[in-house]
Structure formats: structure tokens, C-alpha cells
Amino acid sequence: MRRSGRTGFPHRKTLRRARLTCRFTTGAFGLGPDRDRRHIQLPRIGLIRTHESTRKLARRVEAGTATIRSATLSFQRGRWH
């Protein structure tokens, strides 16, 4: 009896689905200008536009109920998010 399909050595899975990430845990984090709630300040990189609005985060930081401890950037589909 003969097997159907291709035989041979097993193939490894590619790392195509794995995301490249970069996490900032130290340095001076901050929010962007008051008129625009879509930017954050990262150390050594500068002003970065965010995917979502930072309005709620800005309100909590100003009230003193929240602090920014880390920021994570991920590379997906040719862009950093």
C-alpha cells in the first residue's frame, strides 16, 4: 500500500507570524501636545503617533491616578505600532 501525498523530512514552521517588539521601561515618558491627544513622547526616539487616542490616559495622568511605566512598540505588516 502506498502513501498519498509527499513524503520526506518534516518542515519547520516559519517565524512569519512572530511580531518584532520593542519595550521601553526606563526613561522620560510623556504625552504629546495638549491640542493633539494622539502622540506620546518616548526616550531616544521622540514624538510618536499612537494608534488610538490618549485622551483617557491624559486625564488620569493629570489627575494623578495613573503613571506611564512602560511602552511597547510592535512591528506588524511593515509598520511600527
Side-chain angles (χ1 to χ4, degrees):
M1 186 160 148
R2 210 178 147 127
R3 281 187 154 188
S4 63
R6 194 172 139 211
T7 60
F9 290 106
H11 295 279
R12 297 185 187 269
K13 290 186 178 180
T14 62
L15 295 177
R16 223 178 338 172
R17 293 186 180 150
R19 287 186 189 160
L20 294 174
T21 60
C22 176
R23 187 169 187 179
F24 293 92
T25 57
T26 59
F29 297 104
L31 297 171
D34 290 335
R35 68 185 189 285
D36 184 17
R37 293 293 184 192
R38 289 197 148 237
H39 289 81
I40 58 170
Q41 183 78 27
L42 292 179
R44 298 188 58 94
I45 291 182
L47 204 61
I48 301 272
R49 188 175 187 274
T50 59
H51 185 69
E52 64 265 346
S53 177
T54 59
R55 180 180 290 170
K56 289 181 181 180
L57 178 62
R59 287 180 185 166
R60 291 181 181 174
V61 168
E62 289 171 1
T65 59
T67 58
I68 302 172
R69 293 187 176 193
S70 68
T72 303
L73 298 176
S74 64
F75 188 76
Q76 185 179 9
R77 297 180 184 160
R79 301 186 95 176
W80 285 95
H81 298 278

